[in-house]
Amino acid sequence: MIEIKDLTKKYGHHTAVDHVSFKIRNGHIYGLLGPNGAGKSTTMNIIAGCLSPTEGTVLINGYDVCDHPLEAKRQIGYLPEQPPLFMDMTPFEYLCFVAEAKGVKDDVIDRQVKEAMEMTDILDVKDRLIRNLSKGYRQRVGIAQTVLGNPDIIILDEPTVGLDPKQLTEIRALIRKLGEKLTVIVSSHILSEISELCDHVIILSGGHVVADDDMASLEARVSPEKTIRMTVKGDGTGIREILAGINGVLEVEEGSSGMEGCVALTVRTVSGEDLRDTIFFAMAEARYAVISMDMVEQSLESIFLSLTGSSEAARKEERD
Ligand code: ADP
Ligand code: MG
């Protein structure tokens, strides 16, 4: 288990990670999700013991990364954003080298390297130079390296960036397979990837945690209410009055439609009901012509955008 408390990292005057706290329990796949610059790599580097925090603590299976770095690091396998591969080595040579560096005992190095290669399906390229491997295979070698030394937890920083669709599918399948045995933390700026892979998601934005939830609850938060977007011919005040009087309408917002004599409206309604018919006939009765009407389902993407967007806005306000 990993316990992160009030973790802060400053680069000069810039605070990249700002009092971040969360817990990682064993046996799940966790997603660290956030736009570029959110602080994902910084957080992962600190957990992996590659970067020291400015403030705060990280406990890994009870070991503090600052006070007991060796024991803490032993619990973790880490694949940084830029995989530390040596291009002039073969996967087999490279993995033996990493195993040795991690202090794996000589008599078990061969077996562990073989198991890592089996697990990541790279046995057929084990004697080729890494420089001649495709990006997908290189990424497998990078992942193979994380499991050497039998850590409980592996941390993968944006492991699917730059892969083609086929490689992407394969690497995701590999991550899922690893997640059956190990605790996996994977970062990404792609929501669909995290929702596909992870049981639990921590959303970072501007160095802050803006959500920390299991995937199912996050998905349940989607569409708690519905939104209808419409363009109606007529005066905004009269139209809004009618809408506000309809049962189930929560909020009406008026905008510009860009069309002469028309208004654009965003109507928030209670969940579970489709009020389009009611709205249409109410408008017709009052002789307002409905030009267009669409139901917008709130997607996971919009939750993500509203969570990360508002935090960016809050930070901007703070700066201004
Ligand atoms: P992410 O991985 O989510 O894209 P990072 O952790 O890499 O985010 O970066 C968080 C913020 O810290 C960014 O604004 C980035 O520019 C800044 N940053 C990252 N590394 C350094 C560094 N070594 N020196 C100065 N600023 C940095
Ligand atoms: Mg990063």
Side-chain angles (χ1 to χ4, degrees), residues 40-41 81 157-158:
K40 304 180 296 293
S41 297
E81 205 164 7
D157 194 358
E158 306 237 16

Short mmCIF file of all heavy atoms in Angstrom, two decimals, residues 40-41 81 157-158, ligand 2:
data_model
loop_
_atom_site.label_atom_id
_atom_site.label_comp_id
_atom_site.label_asym_id
_atom_site.label_seq_id
_atom_site.Cartn_x
_atom_site.Cartn_y
_atom_site.Cartn_z
N LYS A 40 1.67 14.67 -12.98
CA LYS A 40 1.66 13.20 -12.92
C LYS A 40 3.08 12.64 -12.82
O LYS A 40 3.38 11.84 -11.94
CB LYS A 40 0.97 12.60 -14.16
CG LYS A 40 -0.45 13.10 -14.38
CD LYS A 40 -1.07 12.47 -15.62
CE LYS A 40 -0.39 12.85 -16.92
NZ LYS A 40 -0.51 14.26 -17.32
N SER A 41 3.95 13.07 -13.75
CA SER A 41 5.31 12.53 -13.75
C SER A 41 6.07 12.92 -12.48
O SER A 41 6.80 12.10 -11.92
CB SER A 41 6.10 13.03 -14.97
OG SER A 41 5.49 12.57 -16.14
N GLU A 81 8.57 8.09 -18.02
CA GLU A 81 7.99 8.56 -19.28
C GLU A 81 8.96 8.31 -20.44
O GLU A 81 8.57 7.91 -21.52
CB GLU A 81 7.69 10.06 -19.14
CG GLU A 81 6.61 10.56 -20.04
CD GLU A 81 6.10 11.93 -19.60
OE1 GLU A 81 6.67 12.57 -18.68
OE2 GLU A 81 5.13 12.38 -20.22
N ASP A 157 4.59 5.34 -16.36
CA ASP A 157 4.27 6.73 -16.70
C ASP A 157 3.97 6.85 -18.19
O ASP A 157 4.86 6.71 -19.02
CB ASP A 157 5.43 7.64 -16.30
CG ASP A 157 5.05 9.12 -16.31
OD1 ASP A 157 3.89 9.42 -16.67
OD2 ASP A 157 5.91 9.95 -15.96
N GLU A 158 2.72 7.12 -18.51
CA GLU A 158 2.23 7.26 -19.90
C GLU A 158 2.80 6.16 -20.81
O GLU A 158 3.45 6.44 -21.81
CB GLU A 158 2.59 8.64 -20.45
CG GLU A 158 2.08 9.77 -19.55
CD GLU A 158 1.18 10.77 -20.25
OE1 GLU A 158 0.67 10.46 -21.34
OE2 GLU A 158 0.96 11.85 -19.68
MG MG B 2 4.33 13.38 -17.60
#
